Amino acid sequence: MNSFLRIQAVFIKELMQLKRDRMTFGMVIMIPLIQLMLFGFAINTNIRHVPVGVVDHSQTGLSRVLVQTISATQIVNFTQHYLSIQQAQQAIASGEVHAVLIIPKDVSQRLVRNQSVGLGSPPSSDEETSRPIAQWLVDSSDTMIAAAIKSLRNMPLLELLNKPPNRGTPTFAVTLLYNPEQRTAVNIVPGLVAVILTMTMIMFTSAAIVRERERGNLEMLITTPVRSFELMLGKIIPYVFIGLVQTAIILGLGYSVFAVPINGSLLQLGAATLLFIAASLVLGLVISTIAKNQLQSMQMTIFVLLPSILLSGFMFPYDGMPLAAQYIAEALPATHFMRLIRGIVLRDVDVFNMRFDLYWLLIFTLIGLAIASLRFKKNLD
Amino acid sequence: MNTVPDQEFAISAQQVDRNFGNLKAIQNLDLQVEKQRIYGFLGPNGSGKTTAIRLLTGLLKPSAGSISVLGYKLPKNAEKLRLKIGYMTQKFSLYDDLTVKENLQFLAKIYGLQGKHQHKRISKLLSIYGLDQKANQLAGNMSGGQRQRLSLAGAVLHQPELLFLDEPTSAVDPENRREFWEQLFDLCDQGTTILVSTHYMDEAERCHKLAILEAGIKRADGSPDELMANMNAHVVEVLSDNIRNLKNQLFTLNEIISAAQLGARLRVLVNKKVTDPIGFLKQLPMAEQIKQAQIVRPSLEDVFVTCTGEGRQ
Ligand SMILES: Nc1ncnc2c1ncn2[C@@H]1O[C@H](COP(=O)(O)OP(=O)(O)OP(=O)(O)O)[C@@H](O)[C@H]1O
Ligand SMILES: [Mg+2]
């Protein structure tokens, strides 16, 4: 009874302080809003309009049609013409263009003999038929751009000859579930919930105890009968609400601006989110009991935040990472929540089928709370 | 919890040491504080007043020695003690970004005070400590003196048996200081034991008993009168035309503990070993500079200077 009252006292105090701290209050709303707009529009793995150049040795009508046909795919934009290969290489080095198409003198002959055109005549040696019609020089240091250009390797060429495209039967049929239009936002928006919650939840609570220590309030607090766990709980409960508000902002805007559907059950989504919020808050509290000042707590927050962004599956697929990185990722609450929220929001999975991710979040929270309460000693030593 | 041996004392400490690394912040502190009394810690900056209070409230663990407060052994039973003590820290430790009332409401709830009781207690405190008009002002925007009254209100909110006040009047003007002390005596009358630290002599003189601390060591303790009576020096006031010169010459003598100028007079502390201080002064080579000399009643400041002089030499 008294314990409940004390938790409530800390909770209300924390709310009041938050209410008066306009800056923080604004951040609570603005961080998810701005990040969502930024990431939602900016991060795009469907590469388009890569600036490229061309070195046209043939200078024929065909070569011009070829350039137009490639442009029509929208993957590249031909912005520059170069006279020599050396010039083109320099342009790539200087970053003016990311790739250059080199069209050889005999492009027409090559095209006619090309298998994909399938004219079958005139007969020629293997070596001749297998010659590509032109060549790309690509700055492949960015693997995504390189992949985009590589995807042009097998583009159909029949349009060049005013013939209907030869639709060969593909080896595999591919059915795209959940994101048939392959929009990046569909994957990014739910992931952003995990990233932003990690950031704000850990950041707020990691400063929580430290701030009281820095301002001298701790000396007063620890002479009162308030217990460690009451203080901890009272301090994190307001942020649970904040976390839920942020989640609602991100998913709501994701739905209305980026048309990211919410396919799963809201109840399960809420439960998973609450667990993740709890785990993040508790992690923040643990940091708060270790850090000596707010700068240290900020550094530790970033120490957790970076792997949560890079290893959790938000940026790069989890399965593509080396085993060691996967182990680290497994320890992070963000990884588990990333799976959960993508599962629930996009694939309408029943959370029971992903219960091990839930268990981990729960265990993480309990252990964290115990560590924070134990570490927070009610004295000044 | 019946008849614990040292229950007659609110605080009793034996041979308490506290070190911070190599620094001996408190050495060999023996302390006995009677109930319903105001006990003072008098000492200069860094003498260990705050450290001593933190040890007695269970905030710091002693490096050696034993402490018992209200019958509870510290630091073991620190948690049980919390409901019975109030602590006003040297630095303002309530929340700057809460109003006066919100701060008190927060504390009230922490101490389990609710509803009507809480409301009544808080209005009473606001009126006792003259904070009615300020109830809805942010604590951070108040003057130093107002803030200290708020701190006191916060410390006595749960009507503790024992109150620790660490330099409670450091930001209070003399007028308000007197009023503040009136309030302390009111509390004392109602049965509260108060331990207060200060570096003001006039405040120390108001205490029933006090301990003079210097460099972590208790140099003397007792009631102000006892301390003055048992002082290890005679106080002689000397009139002279050339005070600064006389003072410098007297300073070189072993028998002279201190000589301090007070306007046209020189207040000279002469070691008790000298039985006739006036005669002693008159036979000195620089005696012709002394126009007049008379023994005066010692003040607490004299006691303080006598006690702490040793540490400085
Ligand atoms: N946490 C600490 N770590 C290291 N040294 C400390 C610590 N707290 C106090 N000290 C040292 O112990 C000594 C006594 O300090 P304390 O704060 O008790 O003095 P004080 O009498 O309260 O002084 P003031 O009148 O300035 O408040 C000082 O030399 C101080 O530097
Ligand atoms: Mg102090």
Side-chain angles (χ1 to χ4, degrees):
Chain A
M1 184 58 214
N2 273 348
S3 185
F4 177 74
L5 195 63
R6 288 192 290 260
I7 295 174
Q8 192 205 13
V10 178
F11 167 72
I12 290 178
K13 181 218 85 174
E14 209 67 24
L15 271 191
M16 298 278 193
Q17 290 183 307
L18 198 63
K19 194 182 77 185
R20 299 221 166 90
D21 186 355
R22 282 285 153 78
M23 183 69 190
T24 304
F25 205 67
M27 295 280 269
V28 165
I29 309 294
M30 294 315 282
I31 288 179
L33 249 164
I34 293 174
Q35 306 277 31
L36 178 75
M37 289 304 165
L38 223 64
F39 287 140
F41 283 119
I43 299 186
N44 198 344
T45 48
N46 304 333
I47 310 261
R48 296 207 166 267
H49 307 300
V50 180
V52 296
V54 60
V55 180
D56 189 352
H57 289 307
S58 92
Q59 297 287 353
T60 57
L62 178 68
S63 68
R64 278 185 285 278
V65 177
L66 178 63
V67 165
Q68 276 166 17
T69 318
I70 299 173
S71 291
T73 64
Q74 294 194 357
I75 293 176
V76 296
N77 262 3
F78 285 96
T79 55
Q80 305 289 338
H81 284 265
Y82 302 107
L83 296 176
S84 67
I85 296 182
Q86 283 89 335
Q87 224 182 13
Q89 278 177 329
Q90 268 171 21
I92 292 176
S94 71
E96 194 175 30
V97 291
H98 288 301
V100 174
L101 177 66
I102 297 158
I103 304 178
K105 253 196 164 69
D106 57 348
V107 60
S108 341
Q109 285 98 318
R110 286 175 184 230
L111 179 69
V112 174
R113 292 196 187 115
N114 191 294
Q115 266 183 333
S116 73
V117 176
L119 293 181
S121 67
S124 53
S125 72
D126 271 353
E127 201 176 74
E128 275 180 325
T129 53
S130 66
R131 284 169 80 189
I133 61 167
Q135 186 187 8
W136 280 102
L137 285 182
V138 187
D139 167 14
S140 71
S141 45
D142 187 321
T143 51
M144 295 248 234
I145 288 179
I149 306 277
K150 276 200 220 157
S151 72
L152 289 171
R153 269 194 301 200
N154 294 323
M155 71 176 272
L157 290 172
L158 281 177
E159 288 115 288
L160 286 179
L161 304 171
N162 286 327
K163 295 205 168 190
N166 174 7
R167 299 222 185 275
T169 322
T171 317
F172 301 108
V174 177
T175 310
L176 298 170
L177 297 173
Y178 310 120
N179 186 10
E181 298 117 22
Q182 292 289 281
R183 288 180 300 123
T184 314
V186 169
N187 208 29
I188 291 284
V189 169
L192 208 54
V193 176
V195 169
I196 286 177
L197 285 183
T198 304
M199 179 161 76
T200 49
M201 296 295 103
I202 298 182
M203 203 160 62
F204 285 143
T205 43
S206 69
I209 304 281
V210 178
R211 199 175 44 222
E212 304 244 350
R213 191 190 304 275
E214 277 188 351
R215 295 190 185 165
N217 309 123
L218 203 63
E219 190 170 358
M220 176 270 299
L221 267 185
I222 59 186
T223 33
T224 68
V226 70
R227 294 201 206 110
S228 312
F229 86 92
E230 294 162 352
L231 188 64
M232 303 284 158
L233 272 183
K235 273 188 162 296
I236 63 176
I237 295 171
Y239 297 106
V240 173
F241 291 108
I242 288 178
L244 288 177
V245 168
Q246 292 188 324
T247 309
I249 291 178
I250 298 168
L251 291 181
L253 274 184
Y255 180 78
S256 51
V257 178
F258 298 102
V260 176
I262 299 171
N263 297 322
S265 125
L266 282 183
L267 198 70
Q268 296 193 349
L269 176 64
T273 308
L274 275 179
L275 255 182
F276 176 63
I277 289 174
S280 302
L281 289 174
V282 160
L283 182 56
L285 275 185
V286 172
I287 290 178
S288 198
T289 60
I290 297 171
K292 295 269 182 300
N293 53 50
Q294 294 200 49
L295 184 64
Q296 283 183 9
S297 77
M298 200 51 88
Q299 288 170 330
M300 285 191 238
T301 303
I302 290 172
F303 183 77
V304 177
L305 182 62
L306 276 182
S308 295
I309 293 177
L310 297 176
L311 302 183
S312 64
F314 175 66
M315 299 281 271
F316 313 109
Y318 173 88
D319 302 288
M321 295 190 305
L323 214 53
Q326 289 190 0
Y327 285 135
I328 297 173
E330 280 298 318
L332 296 166
T335 310
H336 298 272
F337 182 62
M338 197 72 68
R339 279 181 210 148
L340 282 166
I341 190 166
R342 281 181 175 156
I344 299 170
V345 167
L346 303 179
R347 304 196 300 274
D348 186 18
V349 72
D350 187 336
V351 121
F352 183 77
N353 295 326
M354 303 185 81
R355 59 190 176 282
F356 293 106
D357 290 312
L358 284 181
Y359 291 160
W360 173 252
L361 291 180
L362 188 65
I363 292 169
F364 190 95
T365 307
L366 294 180
I367 294 178
L369 202 57
I371 292 177
S373 296
L374 285 178
R375 278 199 57 88
F376 178 72
K377 299 221 185 61
K378 281 192 74 184
N379 59 45
L380 294 174
D381 279 293
Chain B
M1 194 92 272
N2 34 8
T3 55
V4 184
D6 47 13
Q7 261 296 13
E8 56 188 300
F9 293 114
I11 300 175
S12 118
Q14 280 90 36
Q15 298 289 306
V16 174
D17 287 350
R18 170 68 209 210
N19 309 325
F20 293 111
N22 288 328
L23 181 90
K24 294 178 172 160
I26 294 287
Q27 294 178 56
N28 273 325
L29 180 67
D30 284 313
L31 204 63
Q32 243 97 48
V33 177
E34 288 160 59
K35 291 198 161 172
Q36 300 190 29
R37 287 282 181 278
I38 300 185
Y39 193 97
F41 275 167
L42 179 64
N45 291 137
S47 56
K49 302 182 296 292
T50 301
T51 307
I53 290 178
R54 285 176 176 164
L55 287 166
L56 298 175
T57 48
L59 291 187
L60 286 176
K61 293 196 178 90
S63 308
S66 73
I67 303 174
S68 154
V69 178
L70 298 176
Y72 295 107
K73 289 257 173 288
L74 291 186
K76 209 175 77 203
N77 291 322
E79 206 54 41
K80 288 185 196 146
L81 186 65
R82 305 253 185 259
L83 278 170
K84 302 197 170 181
I85 60 169
Y87 175 28
M88 173 173 162
T89 50
Q90 179 170 3
K91 183 173 175 279
F92 183 69
S93 60
L94 289 170
Y95 295 99
D96 279 339
D97 45 1
L98 294 189
T99 65
V100 169
K101 203 167 186 174
E102 286 163 356
N103 266 304
L104 292 177
Q105 284 168 340
F106 169 69
L107 282 175
K109 273 190 219 139
I110 292 285
Y111 285 105
L113 222 56
Q114 294 192 73
K116 243 187 10 237
H117 297 292
Q118 187 196 93
H119 188 76
K120 258 174 72 183
R121 181 76 185 135
I122 290 180
S123 344
K124 189 165 172 207
L125 287 172
L126 288 176
S127 82
I128 294 178
Y129 296 105
L131 293 166
D132 305 285
Q133 308 296 316
K134 307 274 169 192
N136 293 316
Q137 192 173 329
L138 288 185
N141 295 342
M142 295 202 304
S143 78
Q146 290 164 346
R147 238 185 297 185
Q148 258 153 337
R149 291 209 297 273
L150 171 60
S151 297
L152 182 62
V156 302
L157 186 132
H158 56 296
Q159 296 173 298
E161 276 177 54
L162 175 59
L163 195 55
F164 293 92
L165 308 173
D166 196 358
E167 293 187 30
T169 56
S170 57
V172 181
D173 61 61
E175 164 84 20
N176 280 308
R177 189 126 53 94
R178 181 156 351 131
E179 202 175 311
F180 193 93
W181 272 83
E182 286 306 315
Q183 285 158 346
L184 294 193
F185 282 114
D186 285 344
L187 284 168
C188 187
D189 271 352
Q190 290 155 26
T192 313
T193 311
I194 299 176
L195 191 149
V196 54
S197 81
T198 180
H199 38 220
Y200 294 121
M201 297 300 159
D202 60 321
E203 287 196 341
E205 215 156 343
R206 294 167 189 266
C207 299
H208 293 113
K209 270 194 168 181
L210 66 138
I212 295 178
L213 293 180
E214 195 211 12
I217 298 169
K218 187 176 77 177
R219 301 288 183 190
D221 65 353
S223 70
D225 288 338
E226 276 167 20
L227 286 170
M228 290 185 253
N230 302 336
M231 197 174 76
N232 198 22
H234 304 284
V235 186
V236 184
E237 268 192 6
V238 173
L239 274 177
S240 167
D241 288 332
N242 196 353
I243 290 196
R244 295 208 67 75
N245 189 26
L246 180 61
K247 180 184 154 185
N248 291 337
Q249 289 181 346
L250 287 175
F251 236 19
T252 58
L253 301 173
N254 276 335
E255 291 84 353
I256 305 292
I257 294 170
S258 103
Q261 188 175 355
L262 300 171
R265 287 161 298 149
L266 196 61
R267 198 173 175 95
V268 184
L269 298 184
V270 186
N271 199 309
K272 262 273 166 63
K273 280 182 217 139
V274 180
T275 39
D276 174 15
I278 305 275
F280 167 78
L281 287 172
K282 288 271 159 75
Q283 55 81 41
L284 288 172
M286 56 287 230
E288 76 274 10
Q289 292 180 29
I290 299 175
K291 276 183 17 192
Q292 192 192 326
Q294 66 176 81
I295 295 207
V296 296
R297 208 180 82 88
S299 71
L300 205 52
E301 183 155 1
D302 301 324
V303 178
F304 187 73
V305 170
T306 329
C307 296
T308 58
E310 297 159 31
R312 258 174 251 152
Q313 278 168 11

